[in-house]
Amino acid sequence: MRAKVIAVLAALFMAAFSVTVSAPAAKADINPCQRAMFFGAHGVNEGAAGTGWGTAHWGTPEEYVFSQFQMALLRAHKPLPMAESVDYPKVRLDPKASSWIEFFQAVGALNVAIEGASSLQIQLENEHKACPDQAFVISGYSQGAWVVDLALHN
């Protein structure tokens, strides 16, 4: 919701202070590709917390990173990016686990990270095929950072 509000405010601001006529806006309407696409991957004990369109599986840290990124773009008068969450299962941290090794073995966190990495790779490939000139911003928190690392190394 916040992302939609920011996007609407940015559009209104740009429309109010734009010196150009409607030619660039018409061109943007024809091209569904945005200049950038932001992908966010949630951490352990997170997921299903995003409020913006396409961010349904973001946790709070990713939501914060994306909102700060949007604000920086607004301040620089740059177009706002599209956003999409990386879709993979939520992993719950067992507070009784005596070590990280037990935790990762018990819940199959490696398998979940591999699944998330595969999902991210597919999302990136599909987006690149649809919009070959588009830039990607990829962010991950906690387990999401592991997902991003695995995806970029494959």
Side-chain angles (χ1 to χ4, degrees):
M1 177 75 171
R2 187 184 330 169
K4 285 183 182 178
V5 171
I6 291 171
V8 169
L9 290 175
L12 291 173
F13 178 79
M14 295 304 284
F17 295 102
S18 178
V19 230
T20 58
V21 201
S22 62
K27 188 176 181 180
D29 291 339
I30 295 170
N31 184 1
C33 297
Q34 297 292 321
R35 182 173 175 203
M37 173 65 93
F38 184 98
F39 290 95
H42 66 79
V44 173
N45 282 338
E46 296 183 328
T51 56
W53 180 85
T55 64
H57 297 287
W58 281 2
T60 305
E62 283 304 305
E63 186 79 21
Y64 179 76
V65 168
F66 182 63
S67 68
Q68 293 300 305
F69 181 59
Q70 284 184 312
M71 293 308 243
L73 290 174
L74 283 172
R75 285 190 297 271
H77 306 287
K78 302 288 182 186
L80 294 176
M82 296 287 291
E84 195 171 311
S85 63
V86 180
D87 189 23
Y88 59 99
K90 180 177 187 175
V91 173
R92 296 191 185 280
L93 176 61
D94 181 2
K96 296 177 186 174
S98 61
S99 72
W100 281 101
I101 293 172
E102 284 180 29
F103 162 70
F104 285 116
Q105 289 171 343
V107 298
L110 175 59
N111 292 336
V112 171
I114 291 170
E115 181 180 337
S118 176
S119 179
L120 176 57
Q121 287 172 327
I122 290 168
Q123 288 172 281
L124 289 169
E125 288 169 6
N126 289 342
E127 194 64 29
H128 180 67
K129 285 177 188 172
C131 303
D133 295 328
Q134 190 172 56
F136 297 123
V137 178
I138 307 168
S139 177
Y141 172 75
S142 183
Q143 184 179 18
W146 190 14
V147 165
V148 170
D149 183 62
L150 288 172
L152 295 178
H153 279 95
N154 288 333

